[in-house]
Amino acid sequence: QVRLVESGGGSVQAGGSLRLSCAASGYTHGTYCMGWFRQAPGKEREGVAAISGQGGFDHASAVKGRFTISRDNAKNILYLQMNSLEREDTAMYYCAANVARDACGRPWYSQGNFADWGQGTQVTVSS
């Protein structure tokens, strides 16, 4: 089990950028799959991006080319760089992890692949 704490959310105008961070603690037995999910009001939670312990990644089609997931294994931090933000990106963003797997399960956006979740950080994009 790993503890996850997100930060970096906020309010931004459309076209702007934010970088989310997720600090992981409590697990020191190697690298593992991590991901970002989001949930907009009235909608189901959906996968945004995932990255394996070795750095292989996937992004949802809705954010591909605008968002980039990355990680710093030495610091145990997961990032999500969000550029060209759109109003449709407004949501609560959650960090997730699966310490049982270095490679992310398939499909990567399945929430069942992740056992540990953070509390979320709000991103609000205005036009």
Side-chain angles (χ1 to χ4, degrees), residues 66-85:
R66 301 188 297 121
F67 292 11
T68 302
I69 190 171
S70 63
R71 65 191 297 163
D72 185 330
N73 288 336
K75 296 180 179 179
N76 294 317
I77 299 178
L78 177 72
Y79 300 102
L80 184 68
Q81 179 65 45
M82 305 187 296
N83 299 327
S84 302
L85 282 160

Side-chain angles (χ1 to χ4, degrees), residues 31-89:
T31 57
Y32 45 88
C33 173
M34 299 186 75
W36 287 102
F37 289 76
R38 67 184 182 184
Q39 187 168 20
K43 295 187 177 180
E44 293 186 355
R45 190 157 57 182
E46 62 179 4
V48 176
I51 186 168
S52 72
Q54 301 308 310
F57 54 80
D58 288 284
H59 296 82
S61 57
V63 305
K64 197 167 290 186
R66 301 188 297 121
F67 292 11
T68 302
I69 190 171
S70 63
R71 65 191 297 163
D72 185 330
N73 288 336
K75 296 180 179 179
N76 294 317
I77 299 178
L78 177 72
Y79 300 102
L80 184 68
Q81 179 65 45
M82 305 187 296
N83 299 327
S84 302
L85 282 160
E86 303 169 354
R87 287 189 63 183
E88 292 72 24
D89 297 318

Side-chain angles (χ1 to χ4, degrees), residues 85-116:
L85 282 160
E86 303 169 354
R87 287 189 63 183
E88 292 72 24
D89 297 318
T90 294
M92 184 71 78
Y93 283 72
Y94 297 91
C95 173
N98 182 350
V99 300
R101 298 178 61 101
D102 187 272
C104 296
R106 294 296 173 186
W108 64 265
Y109 48 82
S110 173
Q111 297 180 53
N113 288 327
F114 297 90
D116 299 303

